[in-house]
Amino acid sequence: MKNKHMERHQTLREKILETIREAILKGNLKPGEKVAEPELAERFGISRTPIREAFRQLESEGYLTVIPRKGAVVAALSERDVQEFYAIKSILEGYAASLAARNLTEKELERLETVNRKLRSLAEEGDVRSFYRVHNEFHEIFLKAADNSKLYGLIHQLGMKFNRLRMASLSVNGRMAISVDEHEKLLDAFRRKDPETAENLVKKTASIGSKVLLESMMNNHHGDTVNLNQDKH
Amino acid sequence: MKNKHMERHQTLREKILETIREAILKGNLKPGEKVAEPELAERFGISRTPIREAFRQLESEGYLTVIPRKGAVVAALSERDVQEFYAIKSILEGYAASLAARNLTEKELERLETVNRKLRSLAEEGDVRSFYRVHNEFHEIFLKAADNSKLYGLIHQLGMKFNRLRMASLSVNGRMAISVDEHEKLLDAFRRKDPETAENLVKKTASIGSKVLLESMMNNHHGDTVNLNQDKH
DNA sequence: TGTATGTATACTGTATACAATTTACATACT
DNA sequence: AGTATGTAAATTGTATACAGTATACATACA
């Protein structure tokens, strides 16, 4: 067998897929922008075939809008899209919380408490980036505890498209501290094995987050669609 | 090779996509079965290219499991998969119901009542196929009234994979009549503009349906995975 | 006899060639 | 001038060719 460079398991298609997806998420490819196959093929020095296949996948994932015989454009998100997606995400996360409330072990609860203590100190320091990372860790724990892999996958799929926006949402002043308080209430519900309360708390948190987000979007709006790129301007 | 009648604005990729998806849904392609590109290309008299592209899309949609350099197999659904999917679908439909309760107009409410009256008579006649169709119509109405296109799309995506199973679920004796009663309770909640009750009713209905379904699956189980094909008359 | 290995075969991954269609632009016409 | 039309360029859709890798089966070896 070949134990040498087994890292080479990724196909060109998979690599280009991730590259394009990353470019869209990072804002290097902006919503509404046209994505031409020959250009990408030239840029990456490969043929059109893997690119075309990646396009089909990206289309299914909602990153690209493909018009037959015309080409592909980066999917533009209207405020309405954001609202809808956020509502769905909150409902799914709420459900995950209710499942987690039933399943969480003592060990996991302690873990959540540890993570939230860390969040409190990060909020005080005002370290948004670290807060964001650890915040995700908190959610990861109870998402996994919900023990529904399809749910987990769906939430992640939705989350991926809004990660950058969520970061912006947390940057709003005081938002981090509030988040920690909300987590504390949630932890309380978890400890009491109270699925309903846990669900409602998560839903409420998400709905507030959505509101904050939409407001920040309204401020620097570009027509009726939104650019996910938050690094510039 | 030119096409005879160019009356189709659809690309070959889209056609083959639907064909394969349909074949999986109908059970002509069974879970676990290997799907080879050259064979399909030969069968449909086209090249491998559109087939490969369709594969990527089907992979994203969860119909195929592709192993690099080995090939694609029809995704097999474990009972756990069914349980998980069903749970998510019920949660999303429940949410849709709660939104619908807020939005439904008098006209739509009357429409729902008309449809449910029709369902009652179909249940008495024992016409499962028609019942299934009209049953979907009932759900369509309040799903659309929920006025969240992403939610609508997601529910449909999930539903597609389980349509045939749901038909089996309705075939269980007495299930149709119960469904009509449940609709009536739901309509009542809609009339009272009671989102919470509407949501809980839909969730409960789905959870019962899931249970019925899983039981019928247990009976004619094929190892640990499930064949979606139910049309052996 | 059972395991290992080599080779033939088949299939996937990628590149390239070609066909069909859209888009852009220049030209002609009112 | 403004619109219509025809042609060229660009781009997508499809087919085919080729290379690399996995699988199957036969053969050799212990």
Side-chain angles (χ1 to χ4, degrees):
Chain A
M1 312 308 131
K2 43 211 82 148
N3 303 344
K4 296 178 183 178
H5 297 93
M6 281 300 269
E7 306 297 305
R8 181 65 195 79
H9 255 272
Q10 229 183 4
T11 64
L12 267 181
R13 183 198 103 234
E14 285 172 312
K15 284 201 287 185
I16 205 70
L17 175 74
E18 282 171 25
T19 303
I20 298 173
R21 187 158 48 198
E22 196 73 11
I24 293 174
L25 253 26
K26 289 240 201 287
N28 298 340
L29 284 171
K30 298 191 185 73
E33 192 171 327
K34 188 161 187 243
V35 189
E37 294 168 13
E39 195 218 311
L40 287 176
E42 171 112 14
R43 174 124 64 98
F44 294 103
I46 61 175
S47 80
R48 278 173 51 217
T49 310
I51 291 172
R52 281 183 64 80
E53 292 182 19
F55 272 28
R56 305 283 92 85
Q57 212 151 337
L58 289 163
E59 188 187 5
S60 283
E61 290 172 9
Y63 290 94
L64 292 182
T65 305
V66 176
I67 301 152
R69 302 225 169 258
K70 278 201 62 179
V73 295
V74 177
L77 295 172
S78 67
E79 280 178 17
R80 169 151 203 181
D81 286 330
V82 174
Q83 250 172 332
E84 291 188 357
F85 261 122
Y86 227 94
I88 294 169
K89 191 174 158 290
S90 87
I91 231 62
L92 292 176
E93 266 188 0
Y95 175 55
S98 80
L99 289 176
R102 296 181 181 91
N103 297 340
L104 279 165
T105 62
E106 180 56 34
K107 201 167 184 173
E108 287 165 332
L109 283 167
E110 279 168 18
R111 182 88 196 290
L112 284 170
E113 275 161 4
T114 306
V115 169
N116 207 38
R117 271 195 297 276
K118 196 169 178 183
L119 282 176
R120 183 174 299 287
S121 71
L122 287 170
E124 281 163 10
E125 293 169 30
D127 185 344
V128 180
R129 201 159 199 92
S130 296
F131 186 93
Y132 174 77
R133 191 168 36 74
V134 179
H135 182 270
N136 278 347
E137 200 182 323
F138 184 92
H139 281 239
E140 274 304 285
I141 295 169
F142 79 77
L143 242 56
K144 273 178 187 151
D147 197 34
N148 180 323
S149 64
K150 299 281 173 300
L151 180 65
Y152 183 87
L154 215 50
I155 290 173
H156 269 254
Q157 194 189 313
L158 292 174
M160 265 225 288
K161 298 179 190 173
F162 293 91
N163 272 346
R164 301 190 76 73
L165 289 172
R166 275 166 61 211
M167 181 108 77
S169 170
L170 284 171
S171 308
V172 174
N173 71 1
R175 193 78 199 86
M176 287 194 289
I178 293 171
S179 177
V180 173
D181 290 345
E182 284 163 343
H183 283 177
E184 215 140 87
K185 279 187 238 164
L186 181 60
L187 270 165
D188 202 51
F190 282 160
R191 278 235 172 269
R192 295 198 320 272
K193 304 269 178 217
D194 182 348
E196 205 168 325
T197 302
E199 178 166 358
N200 288 333
L201 280 170
V202 168
K203 278 186 192 170
K204 208 175 73 182
T205 300
S207 116
I208 294 168
S210 164
K211 214 173 289 177
V212 172
L213 193 50
L214 283 165
E215 274 164 22
S216 86
M217 270 171 53
M218 299 271 273
N219 294 343
N220 53 322
H221 71 293
H222 322 307
D224 55 348
T225 60
V226 179
N227 186 341
L228 283 166
N229 185 7
Q230 300 285 336
D231 306 67
K232 323 179 178 162
H233 298 305
Chain B
M1 247 179 281
K2 288 193 145 199
N3 280 332
K4 304 162 203 172
H5 299 287
M6 211 38 204
E7 75 167 45
R8 46 166 164 282
H9 14 299
Q10 232 183 0
T11 64
L12 268 179
R13 168 181 64 82
E14 285 171 314
K15 286 204 298 177
I16 205 69
L17 175 74
E18 282 172 24
T19 303
I20 298 173
R21 189 158 46 198
E22 196 73 10
I24 293 174
L25 254 24
K26 289 240 201 287
N28 297 342
L29 284 171
K30 297 190 187 72
E33 192 172 325
K34 189 165 186 235
V35 189
E37 295 168 13
E39 195 217 312
L40 287 176
E42 172 111 17
R43 174 123 63 99
F44 296 102
I46 61 175
S47 81
R48 279 173 50 218
T49 310
I51 291 173
R52 280 183 65 79
E53 292 182 18
F55 272 28
R56 299 305 159 241
Q57 212 152 336
L58 289 164
E59 188 187 5
S60 283
E61 290 171 10
Y63 290 94
L64 292 181
T65 305
V66 175
I67 301 153
R69 301 230 166 255
K70 276 202 62 183
V73 295
V74 177
L77 295 173
S78 66
E79 279 178 19
R80 170 151 202 179
D81 286 329
V82 174
Q83 250 172 332
E84 290 189 356
F85 262 122
Y86 226 95
I88 293 168
K89 191 174 156 290
S90 88
I91 232 62
L92 292 176
E93 266 188 359
Y95 176 54
S98 79
L99 289 176
R102 296 182 182 90
N103 297 339
L104 278 164
T105 62
E106 180 56 33
K107 200 166 184 173
E108 287 164 332
L109 282 166
E110 280 168 17
R111 182 87 198 289
L112 283 170
E113 275 161 3
T114 306
V115 170
N116 206 39
R117 270 195 298 274
K118 196 169 177 184
L119 281 176
R120 183 174 299 287
S121 73
L122 287 169
E124 282 162 10
E125 293 170 27
D127 186 345
V128 181
R129 203 161 198 91
S130 297
F131 187 93
Y132 174 76
R133 191 168 35 74
V134 180
H135 182 271
N136 278 347
E137 199 181 323
F138 185 92
H139 281 240
E140 276 303 286
I141 294 169
F142 80 77
L143 242 56
K144 273 177 188 153
D147 197 34
N148 179 323
S149 63
K150 298 282 171 299
L151 181 64
Y152 183 87
L154 215 51
I155 290 173
H156 269 253
Q157 194 189 311
L158 292 175
M160 265 225 288
K161 298 180 190 173
F162 293 90
N163 273 344
R164 301 192 76 74
L165 289 173
R166 275 165 61 211
M167 180 108 75
S169 171
L170 284 171
S171 308
V172 174
N173 72 0
R175 194 77 199 84
M176 287 194 288
I178 293 171
S179 176
V180 172
D181 291 344
E182 283 163 344
H183 283 177
E184 214 139 89
K185 279 188 236 163
L186 181 59
L187 271 165
D188 202 51
F190 281 160
R191 278 235 172 269
R192 294 197 322 271
K193 303 272 179 214
D194 183 348
E196 206 169 324
T197 303
E199 178 165 358
N200 288 332
L201 281 169
V202 169
K203 278 186 192 170
K204 208 175 74 185
T205 300
S207 118
I208 293 168
S210 164
K211 214 173 287 176
V212 171
L213 193 51
L214 283 166
E215 274 164 23
S216 86
M217 271 171 51
M218 299 271 274
N219 294 342
N220 53 322
H221 71 292
H222 322 307
D224 54 347
T225 61
V226 180
N227 186 341
L228 282 167
N229 185 10
Q230 299 285 339
D231 47 3
K232 41 201 177 215
H233 286 282

